[in-house]
Amino acid sequence: MSRRLGVLISGRGSNLQSIIDAIRLGELLASIAVVISNRPEAAGLLRAQEAGLDTLCLRQKDYESRDAYDAALAGALRAKGVDLVCLAGFMRLVGKPLLEAFHNRMLNIHPSLLPAFPGLDAQRQALDHGVKVAGATVHLVSDVLDGGPIVAQAAVPVLVDDTVETLSARILVEEHRLYPRAIATVLDGGWRIEGRRFVLEQASAGAAG
Ligand code: GRF
């Protein structure tokens, strides 16, 4: 797999920053070919520009349909030679044209231990449910919301006096460690999808032998 990433954002871009930092530190051997936002006001666009990255803003409302928009995203990513797409706070359901263009080559990070609490406000869902452990998940993107094969997870405790803000901050620290490592794992290859499982070849060889 080529090591050119396309990062899709909608907001503050702290996960984008963690990818930029990991590349700078030599912890992630990759380059960011383009950062695309669906919102012009996304603070992450400024981070990307400060890091000297190519940026694009593509807005859904400039396209006549969801499919046309997803096809435009796929076209822009392809034009930049992107091989692995990293959703980083991209607040939009990914449609078929983009899913098909990057089948098993698109990652997302979600602030819960999936399959618990998919969708919006995962940290609030976790607090409302009363779980004692929360966390973050990196998964391949499929046509099921937050439902693709799980690449990596990290857990954090839920404390008695947690608010959405304090829990989100604790999860975010783990997200920033987890996402660059998971991206490196996917780029390194040596994995396959079995059913809905992401299986590292080495791990499965060990288990079998
Ligand atoms: C993160 O919590 C991520 O898990 C979720 O959206 C948030 C994005 O934050 N998908 P940021 O824009 O990367 O700071």
Side-chain angles (χ1 to χ4, degrees):
M1 189 180 283
S2 112
R3 306 188 80 91
R4 288 171 68 80
L5 308 177
V7 184
L8 268 51
I9 61 168
S10 299
R12 91 196 132 177
S14 71
N15 278 289
L16 163 67
Q17 190 68 54
S18 75
I19 298 168
I20 294 171
D21 293 345
I23 292 172
R24 279 194 181 141
L25 290 168
E27 293 168 359
L28 173 59
L29 302 178
S31 61
I32 299 176
V34 66
V35 174
I36 304 179
S37 173
N38 63 332
R39 294 186 182 151
E41 70 278 14
L45 281 174
L46 283 179
R47 293 179 191 264
Q49 283 153 10
E50 276 163 17
L53 300 172
D54 278 357
T55 59
L56 268 179
C57 181
L58 297 181
R59 294 180 304 182
Q60 162 86 60
K61 67 174 185 161
D62 294 332
Y63 296 83
E64 63 185 15
S65 66
R66 289 188 62 86
D67 274 3
Y69 180 69
D70 278 281
L73 284 174
L77 291 161
R78 278 203 182 112
K80 292 285 182 181
V82 165
D83 207 46
L84 182 66
V85 180
C86 303
L87 307 184
F90 187 59
M91 301 301 288
R92 187 179 173 279
L93 279 176
V94 174
K96 218 172 173 188
L98 185 53
L99 276 173
E100 284 177 355
F102 289 92
H103 178 65
N104 282 349
R105 293 187 298 135
M106 194 181 328
L107 291 173
N108 181 42
I109 186 155
H110 181 77
S112 79
L113 291 175
L114 290 169
F117 316 129
L120 292 175
D121 295 327
Q123 301 94 332
R124 169 159 306 286
Q125 292 185 57
L127 283 178
D128 288 350
H129 196 93
V131 293
K132 306 302 181 207
V133 179
T137 302
V138 177
H139 63 92
L140 288 165
V141 178
S142 73
D143 58 356
V144 178
L145 175 65
D146 298 324
I150 291 170
V151 176
Q153 292 186 300
V156 302
V158 179
L159 307 181
V160 197
D161 54 356
D162 261 337
T163 61
V164 171
E165 288 71 30
T166 59
L167 179 59
S168 299
R170 194 174 309 118
I171 293 172
L172 203 58
V173 171
E174 291 307 317
E175 289 188 35
H176 296 161
R177 291 196 190 111
L178 189 69
Y179 209 6
R181 287 186 196 166
I183 293 167
T185 299
V186 170
L187 287 174
D188 285 347
W191 53 268
R192 64 179 184 277
I193 301 301
E194 255 177 32
R196 57 148 296 112
R197 294 191 309 141
F198 175 93
V199 182
L200 280 175
E201 307 283 356
Q202 211 183 342
S204 79

